[in-house]
PDB file of all heavy atoms in Angstrom:
ATOM      1  N   ILE A   1      -2.636  13.912   8.777  1.00 77.00           N
ATOM      2  CA  ILE A   1      -3.140  13.035   7.660  1.00 77.00           C
ATOM      3  C   ILE A   1      -2.469  11.646   7.772  1.00 77.00           C
ATOM      4  O   ILE A   1      -3.069  10.591   7.677  1.00 77.00           O
ATOM      5  CB  ILE A   1      -3.001  13.637   6.333  1.00 77.00           C
ATOM      6  CG1 ILE A   1      -3.940  14.815   6.156  1.00 77.00           C
ATOM      7  CG2 ILE A   1      -3.240  12.650   5.169  1.00 77.00           C
ATOM      8  CD1 ILE A   1      -3.685  15.646   4.913  1.00 77.00           C
ATOM      9  N   LEU A   2      -1.144  11.683   8.024  1.00 75.00           N
ATOM     10  CA  LEU A   2      -0.417  10.424   8.076  1.00 75.00           C
ATOM     11  C   LEU A   2      -0.718   9.599   9.343  1.00 75.00           C
ATOM     12  O   LEU A   2      -0.547   8.382   9.350  1.00 75.00           O
ATOM     13  CB  LEU A   2       1.074  10.696   8.061  1.00 75.00           C
ATOM     14  CG  LEU A   2       1.627  11.191   6.701  1.00 75.00           C
ATOM     15  CD1 LEU A   2       3.141  11.484   6.798  1.00 75.00           C
ATOM     16  CD2 LEU A   2       1.354  10.164   5.626  1.00 75.00           C
ATOM     17  N   LYS A   3      -1.246  10.191  10.370  1.00 79.00           N
ATOM     18  CA  LYS A   3      -1.612   9.542  11.608  1.00 79.00           C
ATOM     19  C   LYS A   3      -2.980   8.783  11.431  1.00 79.00           C
ATOM     20  O   LYS A   3      -3.329   7.992  12.204  1.00 79.00           O
ATOM     21  CB  LYS A   3      -1.666  10.408  12.752  1.00 79.00           C
ATOM     22  CG  LYS A   3      -0.241  10.786  13.276  1.00 79.00           C
ATOM     23  CD  LYS A   3      -0.362  11.637  14.510  1.00 79.00           C
ATOM     24  CE  LYS A   3       1.022  12.034  14.948  1.00 79.00           C
ATOM     25  NZ  LYS A   3       1.000  12.900  16.237  1.00 79.00           N
ATOM     26  N   ASN A   4      -3.741   9.223  10.384  1.00 82.00           N
ATOM     27  CA  ASN A   4      -4.992   8.625  10.148  1.00 82.00           C
ATOM     28  C   ASN A   4      -4.801   7.119   9.684  1.00 82.00           C
ATOM     29  O   ASN A   4      -4.072   6.805   8.866  1.00 82.00           O
ATOM     30  CB  ASN A   4      -5.740   9.448   9.070  1.00 82.00           C
ATOM     31  CG  ASN A   4      -7.178   8.966   8.824  1.00 82.00           C
ATOM     32  OD1 ASN A   4      -7.630   7.883   9.219  1.00 82.00           O
ATOM     33  ND2 ASN A   4      -7.932   9.770   8.158  1.00 82.00           N
ATOM     34  N   LYS A   5      -5.529   6.225  10.391  1.00 84.00           N
ATOM     35  CA  LYS A   5      -5.363   4.815  10.158  1.00 84.00           C
ATOM     36  C   LYS A   5      -5.748   4.359   8.771  1.00 84.00           C
ATOM     37  O   LYS A   5      -5.161   3.472   8.136  1.00 84.00           O
ATOM     38  CB  LYS A   5      -6.047   3.958  11.209  1.00 84.00           C
ATOM     39  CG  LYS A   5      -7.553   4.164  11.227  1.00 84.00           C
ATOM     40  CD  LYS A   5      -8.129   3.395  12.343  1.00 84.00           C
ATOM     41  CE  LYS A   5      -9.726   3.631  12.426  1.00 84.00           C
ATOM     42  NZ  LYS A   5     -10.317   2.963  13.519  1.00 84.00           N
ATOM     43  N   TYR A   6      -6.693   5.054   8.118  1.00 86.00           N
ATOM     44  CA  TYR A   6      -7.140   4.716   6.785  1.00 86.00           C
ATOM     45  C   TYR A   6      -6.032   5.127   5.773  1.00 86.00           C
ATOM     46  O   TYR A   6      -5.834   4.331   4.829  1.00 86.00           O
ATOM     47  CB  TYR A   6      -8.418   5.430   6.443  1.00 86.00           C
ATOM     48  CG  TYR A   6      -9.553   4.948   7.314  1.00 86.00           C
ATOM     49  CD1 TYR A   6     -10.168   5.846   8.304  1.00 86.00           C
ATOM     50  CD2 TYR A   6     -10.064   3.711   7.238  1.00 86.00           C
ATOM     51  CE1 TYR A   6     -11.218   5.465   9.131  1.00 86.00           C
ATOM     52  CE2 TYR A   6     -11.119   3.294   8.067  1.00 86.00           C
ATOM     53  CZ  TYR A   6     -11.623   4.175   9.023  1.00 86.00           C
ATOM     54  OH  TYR A   6     -12.722   3.763   9.772  1.00 86.00           O
ATOM     55  N   VAL A   7      -5.397   6.228   6.021  1.00 84.00           N
ATOM     56  CA  VAL A   7      -4.358   6.599   5.072  1.00 84.00           C
ATOM     57  C   VAL A   7      -3.242   5.699   5.216  1.00 84.00           C
ATOM     58  O   VAL A   7      -2.574   5.223   4.186  1.00 84.00           O
ATOM     59  CB  VAL A   7      -3.842   8.039   5.372  1.00 84.00           C
ATOM     60  CG1 VAL A   7      -2.650   8.457   4.597  1.00 84.00           C
ATOM     61  CG2 VAL A   7      -5.012   9.048   5.088  1.00 84.00           C
ATOM     62  N   ILE A   8      -2.869   5.224   6.354  1.00 85.00           N
ATOM     63  CA  ILE A   8      -1.784   4.223   6.608  1.00 85.00           C
ATOM     64  C   ILE A   8      -2.056   2.958   5.889  1.00 85.00           C
ATOM     65  O   ILE A   8      -1.228   2.380   5.216  1.00 85.00           O
ATOM     66  CB  ILE A   8      -1.487   4.041   8.118  1.00 85.00           C
ATOM     67  CG1 ILE A   8      -0.931   5.337   8.725  1.00 85.00           C
ATOM     68  CG2 ILE A   8      -0.500   2.847   8.264  1.00 85.00           C
ATOM     69  CD1 ILE A   8      -0.805   5.295  10.218  1.00 85.00           C
ATOM     70  N   VAL A   9      -3.265   2.530   6.027  1.00 88.00           N
ATOM     71  CA  VAL A   9      -3.638   1.274   5.455  1.00 88.00           C
ATOM     72  C   VAL A   9      -3.632   1.293   3.881  1.00 88.00           C
ATOM     73  O   VAL A   9      -3.130   0.488   3.148  1.00 88.00           O
ATOM     74  CB  VAL A   9      -5.123   0.804   5.872  1.00 88.00           C
ATOM     75  CG1 VAL A   9      -5.614  -0.364   5.010  1.00 88.00           C
ATOM     76  CG2 VAL A   9      -5.070   0.378   7.305  1.00 88.00           C
ATOM     77  N   ILE A  10      -4.064   2.480   3.353  1.00 88.00           N
ATOM     78  CA  ILE A  10      -4.082   2.681   1.900  1.00 88.00           C
ATOM     79  C   ILE A  10      -2.617   2.730   1.385  1.00 88.00           C
ATOM     80  O   ILE A  10      -2.275   2.203   0.381  1.00 88.00           O
ATOM     81  CB  ILE A  10      -4.810   3.937   1.506  1.00 88.00           C
ATOM     82  CG1 ILE A  10      -6.307   3.675   1.747  1.00 88.00           C
ATOM     83  CG2 ILE A  10      -4.574   4.374   0.100  1.00 88.00           C
ATOM     84  CD1 ILE A  10      -7.188   4.928   1.595  1.00 88.00           C
ATOM     85  N   LEU A  11      -1.741   3.457   2.113  1.00 87.00           N
ATOM     86  CA  LEU A  11      -0.345   3.481   1.736  1.00 87.00           C
ATOM     87  C   LEU A  11       0.310   2.135   1.761  1.00 87.00           C
ATOM     88  O   LEU A  11       1.111   1.768   0.854  1.00 87.00           O
ATOM     89  CB  LEU A  11       0.433   4.454   2.610  1.00 87.00           C
ATOM     90  CG  LEU A  11       0.160   5.954   2.408  1.00 87.00           C
ATOM     91  CD1 LEU A  11       0.799   6.825   3.440  1.00 87.00           C
ATOM     92  CD2 LEU A  11       0.448   6.377   1.016  1.00 87.00           C
ATOM     93  N   VAL A  12       0.096   1.372   2.820  1.00 86.00           N
ATOM     94  CA  VAL A  12       0.681   0.016   2.908  1.00 86.00           C
ATOM     95  C   VAL A  12       0.161  -0.827   1.777  1.00 86.00           C
ATOM     96  O   VAL A  12       0.882  -1.537   1.102  1.00 86.00           O
ATOM     97  CB  VAL A  12       0.370  -0.565   4.291  1.00 86.00           C
ATOM     98  CG1 VAL A  12       0.647  -2.082   4.311  1.00 86.00           C
ATOM     99  CG2 VAL A  12       1.023   0.160   5.353  1.00 86.00           C
ATOM    100  N   PHE A  13      -1.149  -0.712   1.509  1.00 86.00           N
ATOM    101  CA  PHE A  13      -1.759  -1.517   0.374  1.00 86.00           C
ATOM    102  C   PHE A  13      -1.080  -1.134  -1.019  1.00 86.00           C
ATOM    103  O   PHE A  13      -0.725  -2.008  -1.786  1.00 86.00           O
ATOM    104  CB  PHE A  13      -3.230  -1.238   0.312  1.00 86.00           C
ATOM    105  CG  PHE A  13      -3.912  -1.949  -0.757  1.00 86.00           C
ATOM    106  CD1 PHE A  13      -4.158  -3.389  -0.740  1.00 86.00           C
ATOM    107  CD2 PHE A  13      -4.372  -1.238  -1.885  1.00 86.00           C
ATOM    108  CE1 PHE A  13      -4.768  -4.003  -1.779  1.00 86.00           C
ATOM    109  CE2 PHE A  13      -5.014  -1.874  -2.914  1.00 86.00           C
ATOM    110  CZ  PHE A  13      -5.224  -3.261  -2.877  1.00 86.00           C
ATOM    111  N   LEU A  14      -0.914   0.186  -1.220  1.00 83.00           N
ATOM    112  CA  LEU A  14      -0.292   0.572  -2.449  1.00 83.00           C
ATOM    113  C   LEU A  14       1.134   0.144  -2.590  1.00 83.00           C
ATOM    114  O   LEU A  14       1.566  -0.316  -3.706  1.00 83.00           O
ATOM    115  CB  LEU A  14      -0.366   2.160  -2.530  1.00 83.00           C
ATOM    116  CG  LEU A  14      -1.738   2.718  -2.831  1.00 83.00           C
ATOM    117  CD1 LEU A  14      -1.657   4.260  -2.830  1.00 83.00           C
ATOM    118  CD2 LEU A  14      -2.260   2.271  -4.164  1.00 83.00           C
ATOM    119  N   VAL A  15       1.898   0.186  -1.442  1.00 83.00           N
ATOM    120  CA  VAL A  15       3.235  -0.293  -1.558  1.00 83.00           C
ATOM    121  C   VAL A  15       3.297  -1.791  -1.761  1.00 83.00           C
ATOM    122  O   VAL A  15       4.118  -2.334  -2.622  1.00 83.00           O
ATOM    123  CB  VAL A  15       3.995   0.023  -0.183  1.00 83.00           C
ATOM    124  CG1 VAL A  15       5.253  -0.743  -0.069  1.00 83.00           C
ATOM    125  CG2 VAL A  15       4.231   1.472  -0.065  1.00 83.00           C
ATOM    126  N   PHE A  16       2.339  -2.562  -1.225  1.00 81.00           N
ATOM    127  CA  PHE A  16       2.256  -3.947  -1.379  1.00 81.00           C
ATOM    128  C   PHE A  16       1.984  -4.250  -2.894  1.00 81.00           C
ATOM    129  O   PHE A  16       2.601  -5.123  -3.498  1.00 81.00           O
ATOM    130  CB  PHE A  16       1.202  -4.533  -0.487  1.00 81.00           C
ATOM    131  CG  PHE A  16       1.063  -6.056  -0.555  1.00 81.00           C
ATOM    132  CD1 PHE A  16       1.958  -6.862  -0.020  1.00 81.00           C
ATOM    133  CD2 PHE A  16       0.067  -6.594  -1.289  1.00 81.00           C
ATOM    134  CE1 PHE A  16       1.892  -8.260  -0.123  1.00 81.00           C
ATOM    135  CE2 PHE A  16      -0.069  -7.988  -1.477  1.00 81.00           C
ATOM    136  CZ  PHE A  16       0.884  -8.765  -0.867  1.00 81.00           C
ATOM    137  N   ILE A  17       0.991  -3.574  -3.427  1.00 78.00           N
ATOM    138  CA  ILE A  17       0.551  -3.828  -4.781  1.00 78.00           C
ATOM    139  C   ILE A  17       1.652  -3.402  -5.802  1.00 78.00           C
ATOM    140  O   ILE A  17       1.926  -4.124  -6.830  1.00 78.00           O
ATOM    141  CB  ILE A  17      -0.742  -3.056  -5.064  1.00 78.00           C
ATOM    142  CG1 ILE A  17      -1.927  -3.543  -4.358  1.00 78.00           C
ATOM    143  CG2 ILE A  17      -1.040  -3.038  -6.606  1.00 78.00           C
ATOM    144  CD1 ILE A  17      -2.251  -4.985  -4.747  1.00 78.00           C
ATOM    145  N   VAL A  18       2.355  -2.314  -5.541  1.00 75.00           N
ATOM    146  CA  VAL A  18       3.301  -1.819  -6.547  1.00 75.00           C
ATOM    147  C   VAL A  18       4.621  -2.521  -6.533  1.00 75.00           C
ATOM    148  O   VAL A  18       5.219  -2.797  -7.459  1.00 75.00           O
ATOM    149  CB  VAL A  18       3.505  -0.207  -6.337  1.00 75.00           C
ATOM    150  CG1 VAL A  18       4.638   0.213  -7.164  1.00 75.00           C
ATOM    151  CG2 VAL A  18       2.263   0.498  -6.695  1.00 75.00           C
ATOM    152  N   ILE A  19       5.048  -2.896  -5.327  1.00 77.00           N
ATOM    153  CA  ILE A  19       6.417  -3.389  -5.137  1.00 77.00           C
ATOM    154  C   ILE A  19       6.508  -4.883  -4.635  1.00 77.00           C
ATOM    155  O   ILE A  19       7.196  -5.686  -5.265  1.00 77.00           O
ATOM    156  CB  ILE A  19       7.217  -2.524  -4.148  1.00 77.00           C
ATOM    157  CG1 ILE A  19       7.343  -1.150  -4.653  1.00 77.00           C
ATOM    158  CG2 ILE A  19       8.588  -3.087  -3.894  1.00 77.00           C
ATOM    159  CD1 ILE A  19       7.905  -0.162  -3.772  1.00 77.00           C
ATOM    160  N   ILE A  20       5.805  -5.284  -3.660  1.00 77.00           N
ATOM    161  CA  ILE A  20       5.990  -6.501  -2.920  1.00 77.00           C
ATOM    162  C   ILE A  20       5.395  -7.690  -3.503  1.00 77.00           C
ATOM    163  O   ILE A  20       5.965  -8.704  -3.615  1.00 77.00           O
ATOM    164  CB  ILE A  20       5.661  -6.322  -1.429  1.00 77.00           C
ATOM    165  CG1 ILE A  20       6.413  -5.215  -0.747  1.00 77.00           C
ATOM    166  CG2 ILE A  20       5.782  -7.652  -0.662  1.00 77.00           C
ATOM    167  CD1 ILE A  20       5.979  -4.858   0.626  1.00 77.00           C
ATOM    168  N   ASP A  21       4.157  -7.639  -3.900  1.00 73.00           N
ATOM    169  CA  ASP A  21       3.337  -8.753  -4.325  1.00 73.00           C
ATOM    170  C   ASP A  21       3.975  -9.431  -5.548  1.00 73.00           C
ATOM    171  O   ASP A  21       4.645  -8.830  -6.369  1.00 73.00           O
ATOM    172  CB  ASP A  21       1.919  -8.264  -4.659  1.00 73.00           C
ATOM    173  CG  ASP A  21       0.917  -9.444  -4.876  1.00 73.00           C
ATOM    174  OD1 ASP A  21       1.161 -10.507  -4.377  1.00 73.00           O
ATOM    175  OD2 ASP A  21      -0.002  -9.189  -5.697  1.00 73.00           O
ATOM    176  N   ASP A  22       3.654 -10.704  -5.786  1.00 72.00           N
ATOM    177  CA  ASP A  22       4.198 -11.507  -6.953  1.00 72.00           C
ATOM    178  C   ASP A  22       3.573 -10.902  -8.253  1.00 72.00           C
ATOM    179  O   ASP A  22       4.189 -11.033  -9.304  1.00 72.00           O
ATOM    180  CB  ASP A  22       3.831 -12.966  -6.800  1.00 72.00           C
ATOM    181  CG  ASP A  22       4.689 -13.623  -5.760  1.00 72.00           C
ATOM    182  OD1 ASP A  22       5.778 -13.112  -5.463  1.00 72.00           O
ATOM    183  OD2 ASP A  22       4.342 -14.745  -5.331  1.00 72.00           O
ATOM    184  N   THR A  23       2.393 -10.442  -8.185  1.00 75.00           N
ATOM    185  CA  THR A  23       1.795  -9.844  -9.317  1.00 75.00           C
ATOM    186  C   THR A  23       1.730  -8.342  -9.277  1.00 75.00           C
ATOM    187  O   THR A  23       0.850  -7.662  -9.676  1.00 75.00           O
ATOM    188  CB  THR A  23       0.283 -10.379  -9.378  1.00 75.00           C
ATOM    189  OG1 THR A  23      -0.426  -9.955  -8.231  1.00 75.00           O
ATOM    190  CG2 THR A  23       0.239 -11.830  -9.601  1.00 75.00           C
ATOM    191  N   SER A  24       2.901  -7.805  -8.742  1.00 75.00           N
ATOM    192  CA  SER A  24       3.021  -6.379  -8.612  1.00 75.00           C
ATOM    193  C   SER A  24       3.090  -5.651  -9.979  1.00 75.00           C
ATOM    194  O   SER A  24       3.301  -6.262 -10.996  1.00 75.00           O
ATOM    195  CB  SER A  24       4.251  -6.017  -7.809  1.00 75.00           C
ATOM    196  OG  SER A  24       5.402  -6.367  -8.550  1.00 75.00           O
ATOM    197  N   LEU A  25       2.943  -4.382  -9.935  1.00 79.00           N
ATOM    198  CA  LEU A  25       3.021  -3.592 -11.187  1.00 79.00           C
ATOM    199  C   LEU A  25       4.395  -3.741 -11.819  1.00 79.00           C
ATOM    200  O   LEU A  25       4.544  -3.766 -12.998  1.00 79.00           O
ATOM    201  CB  LEU A  25       2.614  -2.109 -10.943  1.00 79.00           C
ATOM    202  CG  LEU A  25       1.137  -1.934 -10.610  1.00 79.00           C
ATOM    203  CD1 LEU A  25       0.957  -0.481 -10.271  1.00 79.00           C
ATOM    204  CD2 LEU A  25       0.307  -2.311 -11.712  1.00 79.00           C
ATOM    205  N   MET A  26       5.409  -3.648 -10.990  1.00 80.00           N
ATOM    206  CA  MET A  26       6.824  -3.770 -11.463  1.00 80.00           C
ATOM    207  C   MET A  26       7.016  -5.116 -12.178  1.00 80.00           C
ATOM    208  O   MET A  26       7.566  -5.129 -13.254  1.00 80.00           O
ATOM    209  CB  MET A  26       7.773  -3.582 -10.344  1.00 80.00           C
ATOM    210  CG  MET A  26       7.755  -2.199  -9.822  1.00 80.00           C
ATOM    211  SD  MET A  26       8.728  -1.956  -8.339  1.00 80.00           S
ATOM    212  CE  MET A  26      10.398  -2.513  -8.831  1.00 80.00           C
ATOM    213  N   MET A  27       6.544  -6.190 -11.573  1.00 82.00           N
ATOM    214  CA  MET A  27       6.693  -7.473 -12.130  1.00 82.00           C
ATOM    215  C   MET A  27       5.894  -7.589 -13.393  1.00 82.00           C
ATOM    216  O   MET A  27       6.349  -8.153 -14.430  1.00 82.00           O
ATOM    217  CB  MET A  27       6.163  -8.604 -11.186  1.00 82.00           C
ATOM    218  CG  MET A  27       6.374 -10.026 -11.723  1.00 82.00           C
ATOM    219  SD  MET A  27       8.083 -10.478 -12.050  1.00 82.00           S
ATOM    220  CE  MET A  27       8.583 -10.761 -10.409  1.00 82.00           C
TER     221      MET A  27
END
């Protein structure tokens, strides 16, 4: 499942949205 490129993209997107972005959930 983790080798699937769609899962990787979704995980990277979620990490970006939750933690990294200026408008992240944490912020």
Side-chain angles (χ1 to χ4, degrees):
I1 291 172
L2 289 177
K3 286 183 181 180
N4 188 341
K5 62 184 175 183
Y6 297 111
V7 171
I8 293 173
V9 168
I10 289 172
L11 287 175
V12 168
F13 177 74
L14 288 175
V15 166
F16 182 77
I17 292 297
V18 171
I19 298 173
I20 299 173
D21 190 28
D22 287 341
T23 58
S24 68
L25 292 175
M26 291 172 56
M27 181 64 76

